[in-house]
Structure formats: C-alpha cells, structure tokens
Amino acid sequence: MKKIKLSFLFLLLSITVFAADEKVAVAMPAAEPSLGLTSSEMLIAILLLFVLVLLFVSITLLNAFKVMYKEQLNPTPFLEPFKEPVLDYDDWLNLQPKKPSIWTKLLSLKPIEEEGDLVIDHAYDGIKELNNPVPTWFNVLFFGTMIFAVAYLFYYHIGGYGDLQDQEYEHEMVKAQTEKAAYLEKSANTIDENSVKFDNSPTVLQEGKGIFTSNCVVCHGDKAQGVIGPNLTDDYWLHGGGINNVFKTIKYGVPEKGMISWEKNLNPKQISAVANFIISLKGTNPAGAKAPQGEKYEEKKPKDNEMKTAKDTVGKEDVKKK
C-alpha cells in the first residue's frame, strides 16, 4: 500500500509540473525558427523529450520501490564474514597438484622438496650449488641441429640430390631469361609511335627484313631503293624520319599517296621490327636508287631513340671500375 501511495503521489506531482511547464511554454513569445523547425514544432519536440525522461525516471523509481518493498517483507539476514585460515608453507605445498605440468617438463624443473637431492657436495662461504639438469627443450634443439646438419651434408654435398648455390644461381638465371623473354613478347604488343625505340639487334632486324620482303618490296624495291614509293636509304623523308615517324607512317599509312595502313595486318611488334630494319638501311646507297624526296631529317639526339639494354649481371670490369 505504501508503494501504491508513493506512486500516485509521484505521478500527481509529475502531472502538476508538466501542466505548469506547458502554461509557461504557451505564455512564451514566439521565438525565431531554428534548426529548420517552427516554434510550435520545437515546443512539441521539447515536450516529447521531457515525457521520455519522465518515463525513464518513473520506471527507475518504480524498480527501486520494488526492491525496497521486498526488502521490508523479507529482510536479508546479516552474515559475518568468513575468515579463511592462514596456511603455512608445508600445508600449502601439500595442497598443490602433484603431477608436473607440461611447462615443468619442458624446463626440466624439479619440485622444491627434491632440492636436497640436487645439492653438490661442496660449498663456499655457506653457499651451496645445485646440480640442475639441462632443460629438455635445449637438448631437443641441440640434437635436432646436429641431425639437420648431417641430413643437409648428405643431401647437398654427398648425395648430390639438391642444387648448390652456384647451380641454383644458374637455374635462376635461366628462369629469369625465360620470364624476361615472355615479358618482352607480351609488352612488345603495347608499343606505339610514342614509345617505340630503335633496336638494331640481329633478331629484330632479321624479323623486320622478312616482313619488308613480304610486304614492301613491290613499292620500295628489294633494297629499299624506291620503285613506286620513295627511296628509304637516304636522309630525305616525305613524312619525317626517325624511328617514331617511320613507325607512325607504317601504322597509319598515307592513303592520299597510295600507302595503306598496316595497323590491321601487322601487330605493333612487327611494325616496330620493320621500322627498325628500314632505319638500319640508312646510308647503304643501293644501285639504281631514286632521287631524294622530301626534306632532310636530322635527329637532335639520336641516342634518345635507342633501345636501352639492362645488364643482368655484374662483370669483372664493372668491379674494377668501382
């Protein structure tokens, strides 16, 4: 009954406060809108928030009253604190587990009661020494390294089943050359007129010569001396010289002059090869060559268009330079 009376009294006080707040809120002058809400909407939001807080406080007080009411009906008996007896070391040691743990076995630790069996028969200034055994983990590691060393010696040096360092290096270099060739084969098809470089290696020139013989001899002659098309062995060019311009001319062609575009017939690697072959014919002066056509082309920095070849190994001469 006391709980019910207190609850009604609390609710009555809450309603009274709520009504007073509402009258004060109504009497307040209209404020400027804020947060995109009108004065009425702000008032409603504040009232809702107040109701939620009031509800939370009411539930909390109600739970507190329940606990107090139950405590009055059934009081909790008072119990004196229990004091555990203080054990001496021997009694505490007897309560400990007798079976050694895994950690104790790995470290080869002996229980304290066996300390007398480990004492060595000599002392200095009252200080005695214990004959502690070597830990198990150390013995396992030590003998394991010995077994590994014997197996390694037999596998690599006696039996010859594994590759030594120099043999492994040779195999890695062969593998690297294979991967390098595959990468160059793949990246060669991404060459365009801006990234092409002059490469006069025998493999590239041989490939370019075959493409030139199959497709370009009709217009430029077997020695690029010029037939229908211009002479490709002099310093004069109709559409610009150099590896970049030659690559571009072959790729896109010159339709108004009868030169077709080879972009659909040859891949970028093949266009680069034939362009390098044409550049390599400069100054050959074949018999019966056509007269120069176009403008004389001179590269400002010819080395900028050369293919840079990275060294795979360091030679003795490089070591001497250092």
Side-chain angles (χ1 to χ4, degrees):
M1 290 300 294
K2 291 182 179 180
K3 184 183 83 168
I4 297 175
K5 290 180 180 180
L6 290 174
S7 301
F8 277 115
L9 180 60
F10 180 75
L11 290 175
L12 182 60
L13 291 174
S14 300
I15 294 172
T16 304
V17 174
F18 178 76
D21 290 343
E22 185 176 3
K23 290 179 180 180
V24 173
V26 172
M28 290 176 59
E32 294 294 331
S34 60
L35 301 176
L37 301 176
T38 62
S39 300
S40 301
E41 291 174 344
M42 285 290 294
L43 181 60
I44 294 173
I46 294 173
L47 291 176
L48 289 175
L49 180 61
F50 176 76
V51 171
L52 291 175
V53 173
L54 186 62
L55 181 61
F56 175 76
V57 173
S58 302
I59 294 174
T60 305
L61 291 175
L62 181 60
N63 292 330
F65 290 149
K66 286 182 178 180
V67 174
M68 295 172 60
Y69 181 71
K70 290 181 179 179
E71 186 66 22
Q72 290 180 357
L73 294 178
N74 299 312
T76 303
F78 176 76
L79 299 177
E80 294 183 359
F82 175 74
K83 295 183 179 180
E84 296 183 358
V86 179
L87 302 176
D88 57 7
Y89 178 75
D90 294 333
D91 295 336
W92 174 83
L93 195 61
N94 293 329
L95 295 177
Q96 301 304 314
K98 301 299 182 181
K99 186 177 180 181
S101 62
I102 298 177
W103 180 253
T104 303
K105 292 180 179 179
L106 287 176
L107 297 180
S108 298
L109 299 177
K110 297 294 183 180
I112 194 69
E113 57 269 15
E114 298 180 9
E115 182 179 357
D117 300 333
L118 302 175
V119 177
I120 301 177
D121 296 333
H122 70 82
Y124 180 79
D125 197 16
I127 300 175
K128 297 181 179 181
E129 184 180 358
L130 300 180
N131 184 19
N132 289 312
V134 179
T136 305
W137 65 268
F138 185 86
N139 289 328
V140 172
L141 183 62
F142 178 72
F143 291 109
T145 54
M146 296 177 62
I147 295 173
F148 176 81
V150 173
Y152 183 91
L153 182 66
F154 177 78
Y155 184 80
Y156 285 98
H157 295 276
I158 299 177
Y161 298 105
D163 296 332
L164 298 178
Q165 290 185 350
D166 52 349
Q167 297 172 343
E168 186 176 355
Y169 172 77
E170 293 176 357
H171 294 165
E172 289 293 333
M173 291 303 300
V174 173
K175 182 180 178 181
Q177 292 294 338
T178 304
E179 293 177 352
K180 179 181 178 181
Y183 171 77
L184 293 176
E185 182 71 21
K186 182 179 179 180
S187 62
N189 291 325
T190 62
I191 300 174
D192 59 11
E193 58 273 16
N194 298 315
S195 61
V196 64
K197 299 293 182 181
F198 177 67
D199 186 3
N200 60 350
S201 58
T203 305
V204 174
L205 296 182
Q206 187 65 29
E207 181 182 2
K209 181 179 180 181
I211 298 173
F212 184 88
T213 304
S214 303
N215 302 282
C216 309
V217 170
V218 177
C219 297
H220 296 281
D222 57 345
K223 298 179 181 179
Q225 72 274 17
V227 182
I228 302 175
N231 178 13
L232 302 178
T233 62
D234 54 25
D235 296 331
Y236 293 84
W237 299 86
L238 292 172
H239 307 288
I243 187 65
N244 302 93
N245 291 320
V246 174
F247 184 97
K248 183 178 180 180
T249 303
I250 298 172
K251 180 178 180 180
Y252 299 107
V254 188
E256 60 273 15
K257 297 293 184 65
M259 171 83 175
I260 66 171
S261 171
W262 293 94
E263 185 177 11
K264 297 181 179 179
N265 301 86
L266 302 175
N267 58 42
K269 180 185 176 184
Q270 293 174 325
I271 297 177
S272 174
V274 69
N276 280 287
F277 174 72
I278 293 173
I279 296 297
S280 68
L281 297 176
K282 178 181 177 180
T284 55
N285 299 320
K290 289 183 67 175
Q293 295 176 280
E295 298 180 358
K296 187 175 182 179
Y297 178 81
E298 294 182 359
E299 295 186 59
K300 295 181 180 180
K301 295 181 179 180
K303 291 185 178 181
D304 292 343
N305 290 327
E306 292 182 359
M307 181 72 70
K308 304 297 188 301
T309 304
K311 294 184 178 181
D312 295 327
T313 59
V314 178
K316 295 181 179 180
E317 62 276 3
D318 296 327
V319 178
K320 291 180 181 178
K321 290 180 181 178
K322 293 182 180 181

